[in-house]
Amino acid sequence: MPLQPNSSTTEPQAKRVRRKEARPGELLAAALDLFVEKGFAATRVEEVAQRAGVSKGTLFLYFPSKEELFKAVVRQSLSARFFEWSAEVDEHTGSSADLLRHGMLSWWERVGNTQASGMTKLMLTEAHNFPEMAAFYETEVALPYQGLIRRILQRGIDSGEFAPVDPDLAAYSVTAPLIFLAMWKHSLGNHPCAPAALDPQQYLASQLHILLNGLRVRPPQTNL
């Protein structure tokens, strides 16, 4: 009869294997939390390692510097989503107004209402001190998202649904409410003395109403 593996030796080994495989994700989650809580400059790699339950040496096995750790956080929590969003734009068969609505609301559900939206505030407050990081964020996040919004607007213009506005400039009108929500969530939204509660869904619905009524083509008026 073959010998059965000793559970007292195999179980700890299995746990060690799972633990090693989980470390990159745990480190990125810890880094995201600390970057959002303290900012990039104030976050120390020792703190990230401690929060993830590993040594600083282990952290450097996966990420050779704090800058590389930051880039990995941005890629995992934000830029990796653009493949999904781009496919949704390509596959949409309804109106461009519905696509724009879906884009803004899904951003809130998938990013804005998560810890990842705190990276927006981090970049707005620390970009001046870390220009290389700001350039990376612009390439990985800001420009791709502007590009997606521009595609939606151009789609509506080409179909005659939207007025012939400059899609590059109009894209800023779409992203501005999202940036405001991200800043609100990670500043006034968490402040005990905030003047009033803001419902993000209602706010986005209001912004969409204003945007769409400004974008839609109006039939020519006739004098009776």
Side-chain angles (χ1 to χ4, degrees):
M1 180 177 180
L3 293 175
Q4 296 296 323
N6 190 321
S7 60
S8 63
T9 58
T10 57
E11 287 183 8
Q13 182 179 2
K15 289 179 180 179
R16 284 197 297 271
V17 171
R18 288 197 299 272
R19 177 66 176 166
K20 184 177 180 181
E21 293 173 347
R23 280 173 185 166
E26 292 171 352
L27 285 165
L28 291 176
L32 174 61
D33 286 342
L34 284 166
F35 286 150
V36 171
E37 293 169 15
K38 303 182 66 173
F40 179 78
T43 296
R44 296 182 295 113
V45 291
E46 294 89 342
E47 294 175 291
V48 176
Q50 182 179 18
R51 184 168 293 196
V54 301
S55 67
K56 183 171 70 171
T58 299
L59 184 149
F60 284 129
L61 288 175
Y62 297 100
F63 309 104
S65 66
K66 187 169 74 167
E67 289 75 15
E68 290 302 315
L69 179 61
F70 172 85
K71 290 179 180 180
V73 168
V74 170
R75 289 188 178 112
Q76 183 195 59
S77 60
L78 295 171
S79 56
R81 294 186 172 273
F82 287 112
F83 297 102
E84 172 188 357
W85 286 334
S86 181
E88 290 178 2
V89 172
D90 291 337
E91 295 167 4
H92 185 78
T93 58
S95 70
S96 295
D98 286 342
L99 182 56
L100 186 63
R101 182 178 294 105
H102 170 74
M104 293 181 71
L105 294 177
S106 66
W107 174 89
W108 173 252
E109 293 169 358
R110 302 174 195 178
V111 176
N113 198 29
T114 73
Q115 191 77 329
S117 61
M119 300 297 282
T120 301
K121 178 184 176 184
L122 183 151
M123 293 313 305
L124 289 175
T125 56
E126 300 199 45
H128 178 73
N129 295 324
F130 300 97
E132 292 184 2
M133 308 300 291
F136 170 82
Y137 187 86
E138 181 178 15
T139 301
E140 289 282 328
V141 180
L143 291 178
Y145 195 75
Q146 285 287 106
L148 279 177
I149 297 301
R150 188 192 185 285
R151 284 172 57 193
I152 296 172
L153 298 177
Q154 190 64 56
R155 181 182 187 272
I157 293 169
D158 292 343
S159 68
E161 184 180 353
F162 294 162
V165 297
D166 184 329
D168 292 313
L169 294 177
Y172 290 108
S173 298
V174 176
T175 56
L178 307 181
I179 293 173
F180 168 79
L181 270 185
M183 296 294 290
W184 169 83
K185 175 178 172 62
H186 295 278
S187 54
L188 287 177
N190 290 325
H191 198 283
C193 298
L198 175 65
D199 185 311
Q201 299 286 349
Q202 292 181 0
Y203 171 77
L204 287 177
S206 173
Q207 293 298 310
L208 277 162
H209 177 76
I210 295 170
L211 284 168
L212 291 174
N213 282 302
L215 283 170
R216 284 195 176 113
V217 174
R218 293 170 173 77
Q221 294 183 346
T222 57
N223 294 322
L224 299 178

